[in-house]
Amino acid sequence: MTSAIRLPVLAAVALTGLSLTAPTQAQQATMSFFVTSVGKGNGADLGGVAGADAHCQALATAAGSTETNWRAYLSTTEPGGVAGVNARDRIGKGPWQNAKGVAVAKSVEDLHSDSNNINKQTALTENGEIVSGRGDAVNMHDILTGSDPQGLYSTAGGDTTCGNWTKSGDGSAIVGHHDRSGLKDTRHMNSWNSSHGSRGCSQDSLKGTGGAGLIYCFLAN
C-alpha cells in the first residue's frame, strides 16, 4: 500500500521537474537570520567586520538566499575610548526569521528584550540545522559578538573584540550562548549575545570554552 502511494508521487515529481527539497529552499530564500555553520577557521580573526560580513554573505548565497545585504552581528571598539560600532546598529530594523521560517525577533528592540525567540531550536544555521550546544558531544554554543546585552560595544575596558576581529592569538572577545545555557543559571550564562569573554582568540582557545568561531548573521533591511 505504501509503495503504491509513493511511486505515483515520485513519478509526478520526475515528470514536473520539481525537487523534494523545494520547500526548504523556498524557506531559505526568505531567511533573514542564521548562525554560521562554520567559522572562518582562524579563530576570531574574521578579517575584520568586512570579512565577517563577506562570510555571512557567502554562506547565505550557498544556501539559496538571493539577498545581498547580510551583516555580521559584531561590535567593534576603538583605542583611547573613542566610540566604537554597535552590533545592533549594523543589522537593520527586522523582523527576522530563520531558515525554517520561524520568527526570532520583530525588531531591534524585541531582539534585545526578554521576549526574543533565540534559542537552540531557533538559532539555526543557514542550512536549517541545529548548532550543537551545552550537553552535546561537541559544544559550539559560544557565538562571537563583542557586545553587551543591549548589543552595544563594551565599555568594560581591555580587549573585547579580539582586536576588532583581526586577532587569532592573544586577546579576548565577548561571546553569547545561542542555546541560552551555561555553567550556572544566571542572566549572563543565559544570554544569547553577552555571556563571557573568550580565553583567547585562537581556534583552540575558542574551542576551550565551547566555541568554534561562529557568528550571528542578519539580513539588514
Side-chain angles (χ1 to χ4, degrees):
M1 181 64 125
T2 303
S3 297
I5 293 173
R6 290 180 61 193
L7 286 173
V9 172
L10 293 174
V13 169
L15 287 172
T16 58
L18 294 175
S19 169
L20 291 175
T21 61
T24 300
Q25 292 172 339
Q27 288 169 336
Q28 288 167 334
T30 59
M31 168 181 69
S32 50
F33 161 82
F34 65 91
V35 177
T36 55
S37 57
V38 294
K40 293 199 72 175
N42 196 26
D45 182 357
L46 307 173
V49 290
D53 288 347
H55 187 49
C56 287
Q57 185 66 60
L59 292 177
T61 299
S65 172
T66 58
E67 302 291 348
T68 59
N69 200 29
W70 287 95
R71 296 290 180 268
Y73 182 90
L74 296 173
S75 291
T76 62
T77 57
E78 297 296 334
V82 179
V85 174
N86 301 318
R88 65 181 290 148
D89 296 334
R90 307 190 72 249
I91 60 172
K93 299 179 179 180
W96 299 282
Q97 62 183 32
N98 66 20
K100 299 292 186 183
V102 177
V104 296
K106 295 177 289 187
S107 64
V108 173
E109 291 72 25
D110 185 41
L111 180 65
H112 295 92
S113 75
D114 292 336
S115 63
N116 76 57
N117 190 34
I118 293 181
N119 54 58
K120 186 177 180 181
Q121 287 68 45
T122 61
L124 305 178
T125 70
E126 72 279 2
N127 299 313
E129 299 169 340
I130 289 178
V131 178
S132 61
R134 182 167 169 76
D136 293 327
V138 178
N139 181 12
M140 300 192 299
H141 73 172
D142 282 2
I143 313 299
L144 298 168
T145 70
S147 305
D148 74 3
Q150 287 303 309
L152 306 175
Y153 67 89
S154 176
T155 58
D159 189 9
T160 57
T161 64
C162 282
N164 288 336
W165 317 110
T166 62
K167 289 183 179 179
S168 59
D170 294 338
S172 181
I174 295 173
V175 301
H177 290 163
H178 86 290
D179 58 0
R180 314 296 283 269
S181 178
L183 295 173
K184 298 179 180 179
D185 186 18
T186 63
R187 178 176 64 85
H188 284 296
M189 289 295 102
N190 296 335
S191 173
W192 69 276
N193 69 337
S194 191
S195 293
H196 59 84
S198 65
R199 290 179 183 171
C201 299
S202 70
Q203 195 71 18
D204 286 341
S205 294
L206 297 181
K207 289 180 180 178
T209 54
L214 307 184
I215 57 178
Y216 294 112
C217 300
F218 288 81
L219 183 63
N221 45 17

